[in-house]
Amino acid sequence: MKVFNLTRADDAAQAIATASKATTAQQGADIRFIAGGTTLIDLMKLNVEQPATLIDINRLLPDKIEALPNGGLAIGAGVRNSDLAHHPLVRKNYHVLSEAILSGASVQLRNMATTAGNLLQRTRCMYFRATDMPCNKREPGSGCAALNGANRSLAILGTSDHCIATNPSDMNVAMAALEAVIHVRGSTGERAIPIADFHLLPGDTPHRETVLEPGDLITHVTLPPPAPGNRSRYLKLRDRASYEFALASAAVVITCTNRKITRVRIALGGVATKPWRSMEAETELTNQLATEAVFRRAAEAALRDAKPQSQNGFKIELAKRCLVHVLKLATQAA
Ligand SMILES: Cc1cc2nc3c(=O)[nH]c(=O)nc-3n(C[C@H](O)[C@H](O)[C@H](O)COP(=O)(O)OP(=O)(O)OC[C@H]3O[C@@H](n4cnc5c(N)ncnc54)[C@H](O)[C@@H]3O)c2cc1C
Ligand code: SF4
């Protein structure tokens, strides 16, 4: 295996040129960038990913967090999850992001994991990680062992007949509620992709997880200015209190005036095939008083299209309660 270690600023162009020769930027890519390595090395040890060439981008990626003139925030793709979660501007203006990141993995993993790597982390579906089992995501056309197998932790929203795997990231859920924009530099130039358009639904091509093309390097993520007077919270429900992925989670960014909800953004995690923005819940909440009955109506709307599998029907009520509770937390002192 070839490993490129890149250090100089102009090495970015070389990295992109090398990676753009890959057959795909999706499952089975023969050339891969490596950042913290906490997803990729795991999958290489399991033979789920077997790139012939690794391009180490650690000394190449921006690792700064900077306030933008419009009041928003720019986060370098190489910023470690710990640094992002503890940054004073994130704690002050984007509390939901800090809470989401700190609810994930362990201190050691968060010290290694990068912003870009977290956006691109892969599902924890056990069949994806077991090369002796059928899995359409790992090996297109081979089938989906989870449909009739162990699917307790898998998705109820955004699924298809070909894949029901969840996107496991906590950070991505907060980023979805904050309407983050992902900035990419590729062989044809630069582009900015709203997070809602970045991850793909599985459909009949579950091996395609994002809109990235070969050579696309995530350079940074921007967050819009915080909505005036907003409060934001993240709640994660899981089988044990730490070092565990979400069974259901919810991120809320909400503004209330005299208990009336004037603006709200909602995203769900642990229950969907991509970070799940719920416009349905937002519509139920907007211009309503912040009461438990209204929160419950929003939760019903968010889960209306849920499609449970044999073992994960419990997630529908769990996700509803998660959303109601995080809305209570976010509006308690408003
Ligand atoms: C035991 C364990 C428990 C965990 N628990 C949680 C949890 O509870 N919640 C949670 O959210 N996460 C959890 N994680 C996942 C963790 O957050 C991710 O592994 C981490 O965020 C990935 O970041 P990385 O920098 O290490 O990525 P890498 O492994 O380096 O890369 C991941 C992917 O991104 C690509 N990539 C990296 N940087 C770029 C870039 N700049 N441009 C284009 N492509 C790029 C790589 O090619 C690779 O395909 C856990 C992980 C482990 C191992
Ligand atoms: S749910 Fe998706 S990742 Fe899991 S076995 Fe089925 S196709 Fe593979």
Side-chain angles (χ1 to χ4, degrees):
M1 182 201 306
K2 268 195 232 163
V3 180
F4 290 103
N5 283 297
L6 303 167
T7 51
R8 300 188 332 264
D10 58 357
D11 283 342
Q14 186 200 333
I16 291 164
T18 306
S20 63
K21 294 187 189 120
T23 46
T24 175
Q26 311 293 332
Q27 173 62 29
D30 48 342
I31 306 172
R32 279 256 180 234
F33 297 128
I34 182 160
T38 62
T39 285
L40 185 56
I41 298 290
D42 253 16
L43 294 176
M44 288 172 65
K45 285 185 196 160
L46 296 167
N47 288 329
V48 172
E49 295 254 27
Q50 296 174 298
T53 301
L54 282 185
I55 304 173
D56 184 347
I57 52 178
N58 278 286
R59 280 168 290 182
L60 185 70
L61 289 177
D63 61 357
K64 298 269 184 308
I65 300 171
E66 286 168 334
L68 292 170
N70 71 355
L73 201 68
I75 303 160
V79 171
R80 306 287 158 178
N81 285 182
S82 297
D83 295 333
L84 182 55
H86 292 297
H87 194 278
L89 283 176
V90 175
R91 290 167 61 124
K92 177 167 170 262
N93 294 334
Y94 306 99
H95 181 69
V96 65
L97 182 59
S98 183
E99 259 189 321
I101 292 172
L102 293 177
S103 75
S106 63
V107 174
Q108 292 86 347
L109 282 158
R110 295 195 295 267
N111 287 345
M112 284 301 292
T114 60
T115 306
N118 199 328
L119 283 166
L120 293 170
Q121 67 171 283
R122 314 290 306 274
T123 184
R124 309 304 287 196
C125 173
M126 66 161 79
Y127 304 109
F128 173 67
R129 298 166 68 86
T131 51
D132 55 342
M133 299 300 287
C135 170
N136 289 323
K137 188 183 278 300
R138 179 172 28 77
E139 200 179 326
S142 62
C144 171
L147 287 172
N148 296 309
N151 52 42
R152 177 178 178 272
S153 64
L154 299 186
I156 52 175
L157 289 166
T159 57
S160 75
D161 292 343
H162 303 276
C163 181
I164 55 170
T166 41
N167 182 302
S169 170
D170 294 296
M171 184 194 82
N172 288 351
V173 185
M175 291 274 193
L178 291 168
E179 300 178 303
V181 175
I182 297 156
H183 297 259
V184 171
R185 188 171 156 197
S187 54
T188 55
E190 297 180 6
R191 59 196 204 283
I193 309 163
I195 191 164
D197 301 332
F198 183 76
H199 297 96
L200 298 172
L201 291 172
D204 55 8
T205 53
H207 59 287
R208 282 190 58 81
E209 293 180 347
T210 68
V211 295
L212 292 184
E213 298 292 343
D216 280 348
L217 180 72
I218 298 174
T219 54
H220 61 291
V221 174
T222 50
L223 300 180
N230 87 84
R231 287 169 174 269
S232 69
R233 295 299 302 260
Y234 183 74
L235 179 65
K236 175 175 181 179
L237 304 181
R238 47 192 154 169
D239 280 332
R240 57 182 181 197
S242 76
Y243 207 27
E244 184 57 280
F245 291 90
L247 286 170
S249 71
V252 167
V253 183
I254 191 163
T255 310
C256 293
T257 309
N258 298 326
R259 299 292 300 164
K260 188 175 170 188
I261 301 164
T262 51
R263 180 186 185 276
V264 63
R265 299 289 181 271
I266 303 277
L268 303 179
V271 288
T273 51
K274 61 180 267 186
W276 197 258
R277 173 93 178 265
S278 178
M279 307 273 190
E280 297 84 354
E282 292 171 14
T283 303
E284 287 292 335
L285 291 164
T286 305
N287 294 325
Q288 301 299 312
L289 285 179
T291 65
E292 184 160 352
V294 170
F295 298 161
R296 185 70 201 185
R297 276 211 304 276
E300 297 291 340
L303 275 298
R304 192 169 293 136
D305 294 331
K307 189 173 168 223
Q309 304 298 325
S310 56
Q311 298 173 351
N312 66 4
F314 73 97
K315 279 195 175 191
I316 297 180
E317 183 57 25
L318 190 72
K320 287 179 188 172
R321 291 186 190 188
C322 184
L323 180 53
V324 169
H325 195 66
V326 78
L327 281 163
K328 279 193 208 167
L329 292 175
T331 55
Q332 248 163 15

